[in-house]
Amino acid sequence: MAEAPFPLFLMIFSGVCWTLVYLDGIRLGLRDHTYAIPFWALALNLAWELLNAVIEFLESGLVTQVWISSIWLLFDLGILYTFLRFGRREFAERLPSSWFVPWTLLALAVALVLQAAFIAEFGFLAGRAYAAFLQNLLMSVLFIGMLVRRGHRAGQSMTIAVAKWLGTLAPTILFGVVGTSTFNGPSAFILVIGLLCALFDLIYIWMLAQPQRWPRPAANAR
């Protein structure tokens, strides 16, 4: 059955916005010698994309969706590369540098277990939707924390902030207002989580809109 025009538009619009987040995250990470996505959110995204690609390939046979998940997984791996290359310096400001790799591996393993637990508990379609919105809320809060902790906007941009906000708002409308067969109509839970994401995303956008308070670091400070 063909998708209705409005839900299909929301899905495509969200996909385009998140692709912008990934691409600008890689660009900024390489340019500013840092990572652009908070690591715990990145770990959960990696696990989410990996499980989606594998399960879609094994069970659904939807080749297009497998390709989309696989491409986003490659983007996440690109952002992970920037974290592994440049994140040790920031990590070592608070913890011993020797903990960097074990902590990274532990976080990736925990993220994979959590994503698998959501799917096991709620089923593939509902489980991945719940997990996606909860990790999205975590990302919204962590972006604010990352800006405050760094004290400058290295690895961060209005493009990422606005694209993340709109890329989450679209599926919030789809799952929380329009409704889908996954939840037999609108999901109140996803609507609440999506609105909370929008709240923190707008706070983050407002903070980034004050360049005098959150300047770009000087080139020699990177």
Side-chain angles (χ1 to χ4, degrees):
M1 181 181 295
E3 294 280 356
F6 186 55
L8 181 59
F9 165 77
L10 291 173
M11 290 165 51
I12 294 174
F13 181 75
S14 177
V16 170
C17 288
W18 276 103
T19 299
L20 287 175
V21 172
Y22 291 138
L23 292 177
D24 208 41
I26 295 171
R27 180 185 71 85
L28 290 174
L30 295 173
R31 186 194 71 182
D32 295 343
H33 294 182
T34 187
Y35 55 97
I37 304 296
F39 176 61
W40 276 99
L42 172 61
L44 289 167
N45 270 12
L46 271 166
W48 194 89
E49 303 293 359
L50 176 61
L51 287 178
N52 269 270
V54 171
I55 293 175
E56 285 161 355
F57 175 76
L58 294 176
E59 295 188 2
S60 70
L62 297 176
V63 177
T64 301
Q65 190 60 47
V66 172
W67 272 105
I68 291 173
S69 295
S70 299
I71 290 171
W72 282 354
L73 177 61
L74 289 176
F75 290 155
D76 275 330
L77 289 173
I79 298 172
L80 178 63
Y81 167 77
T82 63
F83 174 79
L84 294 174
R85 182 174 178 184
F86 305 118
R88 185 185 294 267
R89 180 178 64 245
E90 193 170 316
F91 181 89
E93 292 174 359
R94 292 165 178 81
L95 292 169
S97 177
S98 59
W99 292 12
F100 179 71
V101 172
W103 181 256
T104 299
L105 294 175
L106 176 62
L108 293 172
V110 168
L112 190 61
V113 170
L114 284 175
Q115 297 291 7
F118 268 93
I119 293 173
E121 180 69 19
F122 300 108
F124 178 54
L125 295 179
R128 72 175 183 175
Y130 288 141
F133 275 87
L134 286 171
Q135 70 197 51
N136 217 317
L137 178 57
L138 175 66
M139 184 186 295
S140 299
V141 175
L142 290 179
F143 265 126
I144 296 173
M146 187 166 73
L147 180 61
V148 172
R149 186 182 72 251
R150 288 177 175 173
H152 51 70
R153 57 199 300 146
Q156 298 166 86
S157 72
M158 194 64 77
T159 297
I160 290 178
V162 173
K164 185 213 174 298
W165 167 50
L166 295 176
T168 306
L169 187 61
T172 298
I173 295 171
L174 175 59
F175 289 105
V177 179
V178 177
T180 66
S181 59
T182 300
F183 301 104
N184 297 315
S187 168
F189 178 81
I190 284 184
L191 178 60
V192 170
I193 300 300
L195 290 176
L196 289 174
C197 286
L199 170 64
F200 287 104
D201 288 342
L202 289 172
I203 292 173
Y204 181 56
I205 290 170
W206 171 75
M207 294 173 71
L208 283 179
Q210 304 176 64
Q212 71 284 358
R213 183 166 187 177
W214 313 104
R216 270 190 35 77
N220 58 8
R222 288 187 233 146

